[in-house]
Every structure is written in structure tokens, then in C-alpha cells.
Amino acid sequence: DGGITQSPKYLFRKEGQNVTLSCEQNLNHDAMYWYRQDPGQGLRLIYYSQIVNDFQKGDIAEGYSVSREKKESFPLTVTSAQKNPTAFYLCASSPRNGPSQYSPLHFGNGTRLTVT
Amino acid sequence: QKEVEQNSGPLSVPEGAIASLNCTYSDRGSQSFFWYRQYSGKSPELIMFIYSNGDKEDGRFTAQLNKASQYVSLLIRDSQPSDSATYLCASQGGYSTLTFGKGTMLLVSP
């Protein structure tokens, strides 16, 4: 079955450490996205990529970095520069032209990151 | 800056009633609108999409769009306890990314 795999489901890190969240999709989608969700908040866009080797900053990119070396993979690194990294992180994908009624955003199951 | 506003709730309705969820958006260039349902600790799932003014019905769900008033709503008829979740409204301009609201928590009591 096609889908998006995020791993791990729960991640714990000490403050000051960089951490990389994995996102893999087998939907053959060109576009991939990273969102952050805090309690009682909606989804805020961190980074997105519409094609391999290219990506754009979203609304809250500071303290994060990404790479897109393969179509299937879009890992997110939370750096020590991110002031409040504890959150629920969601990876999503869509066809290159963006989400539509015929192909909405497909979400992974998320990674809950806790930094202490 | 594009903004999507939703009342955070919770909106409490008894089982069998109609739940009405509302959303306003700031970007007049927004063309399409999505309603996602998110259960606690889970990822969002799409339940409705609308891009034309008026109503769109799908089962117990009806989405309503008024572009002149920059207003989108979701009606859930015959609400069930299993409908208890957070409902996220999102707008999209052309083929761009989605802008999400903060979501409205719906509680349906038996």
C-alpha cells in the first residue's frame, strides 16, 4: 500500500542536540512538506519541496534544515538553534502542482519530539 | 500575511444534533478550501473540499463557501460521538501550499 512513513513515532533529545526526523513516501508524489503542530494550534509550514534538490522555506523555517536528495525522502533536522523544538511534526506529500480535491495532502502518522 | 481564523471551541453538541463549524480567511486570492478532521494524537484526514460559492454535500457533511464574505463553514448532520475531534480549515491559492487555521474542537455527547 502507498503511503508516508515517519519514524520514529516518539523522539526524546537533550537541549543543544541536533535531531533528524525521517519521512519516506512511496506515492510517487513530487511535492513534500513538513508541518509543525503545537497543542491547541493548527499546522504551521516549516519547509516544502516540489522537486528533488530544491526546497523552499515555509512560515517558520528558522532553526530547521531539510534536504531532498531523493524523490522518496525528505528528512527534517531540528537544530539547536530552534528555541522551542518540542512539538508534533507532520510530513505530507502531494503531486507537484499542489494539493487538490483529486489528490489531497497525504499525511504521515507524525513524530512527537520532546526536548528537555 | 495569509490567515485562516477558527473558533477554538470546544463546540459541544448532543448526539443527533447539527454541528456548525466556521472559518474565515484573509487572502482574497484563496481559491480552494479544505476541511480536515484530526483525532487526538493522529494525523489530519480530509473530509471535505470546496472551491465554488454555495453548498457541497457529502453524506452527513455539508461545506458552505461565501467568497464575498470570505467565509467557509462545515455542517455535520446527525452528529455522532465518533465525530468528536478537532476540525481544521485550510485555504489554498492556486497551486500553492495550504494555510491552516488553529482548528475547532468538537465534542458530541451521547
Side-chain angles (χ1 to χ4, degrees):
Chain A
D1 289 339
I4 299 178
T5 300
Q6 289 188 245
S7 61
K9 186 174 182 178
Y10 298 97
L11 192 54
F12 298 89
R13 281 294 183 271
K14 293 291 187 182
E15 190 173 337
Q17 294 179 335
N18 291 354
V19 59
T20 297
L21 281 59
S22 170
C23 178
E24 303 277 335
Q25 56 100 357
N26 59 6
L27 298 166
N28 201 33
H29 283 168
D30 288 301
M32 297 186 74
Y33 311 80
W34 274 105
Y35 287 92
R36 168 180 173 145
Q37 188 174 35
D38 295 283
Q41 302 293 313
L43 278 62
R44 291 185 290 170
L45 183 64
I46 304 172
Y47 268 99
Y48 65 102
S49 168
Q50 294 182 310
I51 196 168
V52 173
N53 293 322
D54 188 46
F55 48 83
Q56 288 76 42
K57 292 182 179 180
D59 300 319
I60 57 166
E62 185 176 352
Y64 299 96
S65 66
V66 293
S67 63
R68 187 85 187 276
E69 298 177 359
K70 299 186 300 181
K71 185 176 183 178
E72 301 80 15
S73 179
F74 191 40
L76 173 74
T77 297
V78 184
T79 75
S80 57
Q82 169 50 232
K83 295 180 180 179
N84 297 296
T86 295
F88 186 48
Y89 290 87
L90 284 160
C91 179
S93 72
S94 73
R96 183 175 183 177
N97 287 336
S100 72
Q101 62 176 324
Y102 304 110
S103 188
L105 277 183
H106 286 255
F107 285 95
N109 288 328
T111 292
R112 192 168 298 279
L113 173 65
T114 301
V115 177
T116 58
Chain B
Q1 182 164 348
K2 302 175 185 177
E3 291 185 344
V4 175
E5 300 287 341
Q6 295 182 257
N7 188 321
S8 61
L11 173 65
S12 296
V13 299
E15 184 174 358
I18 296 175
S20 178
L21 304 162
N22 304 314
C23 169
T24 59
Y25 59 96
S26 63
D27 182 12
R28 286 198 172 273
S30 297
Q31 298 178 8
S32 304
F33 302 88
F34 300 78
W35 281 100
Y36 284 84
R37 177 176 62 197
Q38 186 178 27
Y39 293 112
S40 181
K42 303 296 185 182
S43 58
E45 55 179 325
L46 180 70
I47 54 172
M48 287 293 286
F49 167 88
I50 189 167
Y51 65 94
S52 297
N53 274 328
D55 295 359
K56 179 181 179 182
E57 186 175 321
D58 184 2
R60 295 187 297 114
F61 299 98
T62 298
Q64 300 174 317
L65 174 59
N66 183 326
K67 290 187 177 180
S69 300
Q70 296 178 240
Y71 178 90
V72 191
S73 66
L74 177 70
L75 300 178
I76 306 175
R77 291 181 299 281
D78 189 23
S79 295
Q80 301 297 310
S82 59
D83 293 326
S84 298
T86 295
Y87 289 79
L88 300 169
C89 174
S91 68
Q92 179 187 35
Y95 292 116
S96 73
T97 57
L98 302 189
T99 299
F100 285 86
K102 293 183 178 181
T104 297
M105 181 183 294
L106 173 65
L107 298 176
V108 182
S109 54

